[in-house]
């Protein structure tokens, strides 16, 4: 494992992050009377882990593989480059190209409702989507969006679904009070900047980048407001792999928590690795550090806290008619998750 240097400065903000990390790990260690520690025994089992390599929020997964954190937990993790879509993640698991993968809750739940054989087992972080407006639009709140048009990269894509929930909870009808316009992924910012629409909904790091580039106003995100305390991305494993490799997945969950806690306190190291390895177009290492520093990397529920998060997400998706009206969020959450600490 290559040495990982400490940050040169120790600010109050970082001190608070470290304190939160210690509390999170302490509480996890107490679940079920277990202490989360690497199990070094038999030869390391191989896990093919699907990730969205172009998404900054997934960079800790690549960093963990490159720096030997998975190996520390006696795992041989092979990253599978599944692309930028939640649908390609589902396809990777359905076709056996990957054993487990990381994805947005909004991408997981509908296929799981329809019987997709995957169990969700640990969260990664909170909040990586933004709703943006031009500064001269006069839009300051979610309620101000009534009658406006919003650009996003796909109808039914996670940013649209996430902010439909926000609009509904703010008292708007997300189907009739706003209009959604699908535009090419790379033109979401340009479309808003030209004035073709009044708002845009996008994913980080692209949402962060266009907010900075064009000086947009952030109206809402998936970290604050109605989404405060909610988990954004979770790891899931295929049913057959889980049946045969439960202990390996438990260690993958523990490694995932360790990696994201490390990222919370050392975003510059992870950003530098991401910048040098994947060379994301238009973003510097310093910008990637800022992006990673804004994400809630202490939000990684496992066990009952994960069940609770999936129940909340299911309630939200029922609210905007993504999940069927007959779906029971509590029963659904219990069915599609696995408690690896039990």
């Amino acid at each position: 494992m290559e040495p990982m240097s400490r940050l040169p400065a120790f600010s109050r903000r970082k001190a608070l992050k470290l304190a939160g990390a210690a509390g999170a790990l302490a509480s996890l260690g107490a679940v079920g009377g277990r202490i989360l520690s690497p199990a070094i025994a038999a030869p390391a089992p191989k896990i093919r882990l699907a990730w969205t390599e172009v998404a900054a929020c997934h960079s800790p997964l690549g960093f963990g593989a490159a720096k030997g954190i998975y190996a520390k937990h006696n795992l041989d993790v092979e990253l599978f480059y599944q692309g930028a879509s939640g649908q390609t993640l589902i396809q990777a698991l359905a076709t056996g190209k990957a054993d487990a993968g990381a994805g947005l809750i909004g991408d997981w739940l509908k296929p799981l409702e329809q019987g997709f054989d995957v169990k969700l087992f640990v969260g990664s972080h909170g909040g990586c989507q933004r709703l943006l407006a031009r500064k001269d639009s006069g839009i300051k709140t979610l309620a101000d969006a009534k009658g406006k048009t919003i650009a996003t990269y796909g109808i039914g894509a996670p940013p649209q679904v996430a902010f439909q929930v926000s609009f509904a909870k703010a008292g708007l009808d997300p189907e009739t009070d706003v209009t959604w316009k699908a535009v090419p992924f790379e033109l979401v910012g340009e479309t808003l900047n030209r004035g073709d629409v009044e708002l845009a909904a996008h994913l980080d790091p692209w949402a962060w980048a266009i907010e900075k580039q064009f000086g947009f106003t952030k109206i809402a995100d998936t970290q604050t407001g109605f989404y405060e305390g909610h988990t954004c991305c979770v790891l899931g494993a295929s049913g057959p792999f889980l049946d045969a490799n439960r202990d390996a997945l438990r260690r993958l969950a523990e490694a995932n928590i360790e990696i994201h806690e490390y990222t919370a306190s050392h975003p510059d190291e992870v950003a530098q690795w991401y910048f040098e390895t994947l060379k994301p177009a238009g973003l510097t290492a310093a910008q990637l550090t800022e992006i990673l520093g804004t994400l809630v990397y202490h939000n990684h529920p496992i066990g009952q806290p994960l069940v609770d998060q999936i129940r909340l997400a299911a309630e939200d998706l029922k609210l905007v008619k993504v999940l069927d009206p007959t779906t029971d969020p509590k029963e659904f959450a219990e069915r599609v998750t696995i408690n690896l600490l039990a």
Side-chain angles (χ1 to χ4, degrees):
M1 179 173 174
E2 298 177 14
M4 292 181 284
S5 61
R6 292 281 179 185
L7 287 174
F10 194 74
S11 67
R12 179 177 180 273
R13 180 185 177 200
K14 290 167 189 167
L16 289 171
K17 281 188 174 182
L18 287 172
L25 289 174
S27 64
L28 279 168
V31 173
R34 303 183 68 125
I35 295 175
L36 301 188
S37 58
I40 307 300
K46 184 171 184 177
I47 299 178
R48 295 168 299 168
L49 180 64
W51 71 316
T52 302
E53 65 278 6
V54 296
C57 61
H58 279 211
S59 59
L61 304 178
F63 179 84
K67 300 299 181 180
I69 299 177
Y70 293 118
K72 171 185 168 184
H73 290 258
N74 198 33
L75 295 171
D76 176 11
V77 169
E78 175 188 319
L79 295 175
F80 176 76
Y81 292 77
Q82 58 93 1
S85 165
Q87 293 310 305
T88 56
L89 167 61
I90 301 301
Q91 291 165 11
L93 291 171
T95 58
K97 294 177 181 177
D99 307 308
L104 291 159
I105 286 181
D107 283 331
W108 282 119
L109 295 197
K110 189 61 182 180
L112 289 172
E113 184 191 47
Q114 295 173 331
F116 186 45
D117 188 12
V118 160
K119 296 289 187 184
L120 306 178
F121 61 94
V122 68
S124 291
H125 65 272
C128 53
Q129 298 167 78
R130 301 171 190 239
L131 180 69
L132 306 169
R134 286 169 53 108
K135 284 192 180 298
D136 60 1
S137 68
I139 300 171
K140 304 293 183 185
T141 69
L142 289 164
D144 294 336
K146 186 172 183 177
K148 304 297 193 294
T149 299
I150 308 163
T152 193
Y153 61 86
I155 301 303
Q160 182 196 9
V161 174
F163 294 114
Q164 281 184 316
V165 171
S166 297
F167 288 135
K169 291 185 175 182
L172 300 185
D173 185 324
E175 294 185 345
T176 61
D177 284 340
V178 297
T179 300
W180 293 88
K181 180 177 181 178
V183 302
F185 193 97
E186 67 279 6
L187 296 181
V188 173
E190 292 282 357
T191 301
L192 176 57
N193 191 54
R194 286 197 307 263
D196 296 347
V197 295
E198 290 84 19
L199 294 144
H202 214 353
L203 297 165
D204 286 334
W206 306 278
W208 181 93
I210 62 175
E211 180 183 344
K212 297 292 183 181
Q213 179 184 355
F214 298 114
F216 294 150
T217 298
K218 183 171 67 176
I219 305 303
D221 60 29
T222 51
Q223 291 182 15
T224 58
F226 300 115
Y227 283 104
E228 186 168 1
H230 285 219
T231 299
C232 176
C233 294
V234 296
L235 269 62
S238 73
F241 187 83
L242 171 62
D243 291 342
N245 299 275
R246 181 176 176 128
D247 186 65
L249 287 171
R250 175 185 61 80
R251 284 182 276 126
L252 180 66
E254 294 172 4
N256 186 71
I257 292 168
E258 179 177 338
I259 289 165
H260 286 84
E261 284 297 331
Y262 191 89
T263 303
S265 301
H266 305 80
D268 60 337
E269 289 185 32
V270 179
Q272 188 65 37
W273 172 85
Y274 181 49
F275 177 76
E276 293 174 355
T277 305
L278 296 172
K279 300 175 175 57
L283 292 170
T284 67
Q287 290 172 328
L288 288 167
T289 297
E290 185 174 346
I291 293 168
L292 294 183
T294 67
L295 296 175
V296 187
Y297 276 124
H298 297 309
N299 194 343
H300 34 58
I302 188 170
Q304 186 59 44
L306 178 62
V307 175
D308 295 339
Q309 286 284 321
I310 300 304
R311 176 183 56 78
L312 290 171
E315 290 171 355
D316 285 347
L317 294 192
K318 279 191 67 176
L319 180 65
V320 294
K321 303 178 183 178
V322 172
L323 296 188
D324 292 340
T326 58
T327 294
D328 180 333
K330 182 177 183 295
E331 183 278 330
F332 173 74
E334 292 171 347
R335 174 170 59 84
V336 304
T337 57
I338 182 75
N339 184 355
L340 295 175
L341 301 182

